[in-house]
Amino acid sequence: MVEAHGSTHTSVAGRYRLLGVVHEESNRVCWHGEDMAAGQPRLLTRTGLPAAGPDEDGRTRSRRVTERVLRTGETMARLCPDRVPAVVDAVCEADALWTVTEWTRGTPLGELLAREGPLPPVRAAHIALELLDVLEAAHAEGITHGELSPGQVLVREHGPVAVTGFGLAGATLSPRIAAPSYASPEQARDERIGPAADLWALGALLYTMVEGRPPYRERDRPEATLQAVDRLPLRTPLRSGPLTRVVQGLLRKNSRERLTRPVVRELLVRVLHEDPDAAPPAAPTVPPPRPHRAAAFPASPAWRGRRVALGAALTVAVAVAATALLLRHGPAPADSARPPLRSPWPRRRRRPQRARSPGRRAAPHRSCRTATGCTGRRRASRWRCRTAGGGCAPPRGRAARTGWCSAWRATRARSR
């Protein structure tokens, strides 16, 4: 049950007696009262109204606001009889709206957070799911709350949460009447609002429940707070845990990028069904690496000495065996004594060069320039120079018939 913070004997409209303050927030105060005519306890909420415009009559505005609140409250009480307290009366006095509802046993969410501090993510998800049920029913009827805040949510020990404050959005020309730190960016810009504004407020309530503070703090003036909501970035949540994705998905500046109700419900249900005591999923089985050979021996000093001695003995044995093989068979032949390796591919045949005039000395071939006394001309491709002994090798095949090297012929004649 709600406990009053104080007591007073002030009455509203000469019928409702105020007994004590239940919860207080920016431009809104909730009282525990009594209907003196019916003798029933009531919950009275005082909401300050902005000043009327120059072209607006105060009485006309009061009548429009009260009619809107009564009509919307009646509709929501019919849709959610156990979630939305029925609105009994609405009175405008001294630029303030007094909304009288049935007494509901419960604690305002703001008072619960002030008393217990931040809530665990699972409990916050449970409260958010119950709020989502009420908002979904309202949105199905084309009703937008527009003023959702911790003071409008009553947490009961047994039973779902209760939501109050329907009908205030759009009743005045002000974009937000109370609790501007929970206003959506489109409200801060004084644009037309819809269900996305309530989803923003739901994300702001989730942020407050897990962090213990609103996403945007209150400034000295409501206009400064609304400007901060519209322009400043969101402070990163630190205690949200599994609710981080939901909170960041709902608190997006662009209303079209926010999470939808089905997605929010699925994520919240997933958080409720998680078992925090369950063991984490097992990692995939990976075969252990093969141990090194040295790991098979214990790492004691005695085994280390034995390994060193064993290695030295093996080295000496290999050296002695190599020396014995050299003494028995002798050294291996040098590479220069081995026959040259011949390529398995046939050598390319080149076209013979044209014969030059007898008066012009023929230039020796590039392979014959190092041979002593070789000034002949090349006529065929299959020939080599004997650079060690001088002169050209004797022609073979077609070169023998054409006489391709005059130097060789001269040398051959002198030798005869």
Side-chain angles (χ1 to χ4, degrees), residues 12-13 15-16 35 42-47 49 59 61-74 86-93 96-102 165-168 171:
V12 177
R15 179 177 176 178
Y16 305 102
D35 187 351
R42 297 291 184 233
L43 178 65
L44 288 87
T45 303
R46 181 188 182 277
T47 306
L49 297 177
R59 294 182 179 180
R61 186 192 68 168
S62 300
R63 184 172 61 253
R64 183 182 68 251
V65 171
T66 55
E67 290 179 356
R68 183 183 180 90
V69 170
L70 289 172
R71 183 175 62 254
T72 308
E74 181 182 358
V87 179
V88 178
D89 196 1
V91 181
C92 287
E93 281 187 356
L97 171 66
W98 290 87
T99 305
V100 183
T101 60
E102 293 180 350
F166 282 97
L168 294 176

Side-chain angles (χ1 to χ4, degrees), residues 382-395:
R382 291 182 177 274
W383 62 278
R384 290 178 298 177
C385 292
R386 293 180 179 176
T387 56
C392 295

Side-chain angles (χ1 to χ4, degrees), residues 356-376:
R356 300 190 181 185
S357 59
R360 186 175 180 182
R361 185 178 181 181
H365 189 260
R366 64 173 180 272
S367 300
C368 301
R369 290 176 184 175
T370 58
T372 305
C374 181
T375 58

Side-chain angles (χ1 to χ4, degrees), residues 25 28 131 135 145-153 163-166 176 178-179 182-183 197-198 201-202 205:
E25 59 186 6
R28 182 183 290 124
L131 285 173
L135 295 177
H145 192 291
E147 291 286 335
L148 198 60
S149 65
Q152 305 285 2
V153 180
V163 184
T164 62
F166 282 97
R176 180 85 180 193
Y182 294 90
D198 288 343
L202 179 62
L205 289 177

Side-chain angles (χ1 to χ4, degrees), residues 4 69 109-110 139 169 184 212 222 228-229 233 311 329 337 357 394:
V69 170
L109 182 59
H139 296 165
S184 63
V229 171
H329 299 285
S357 59

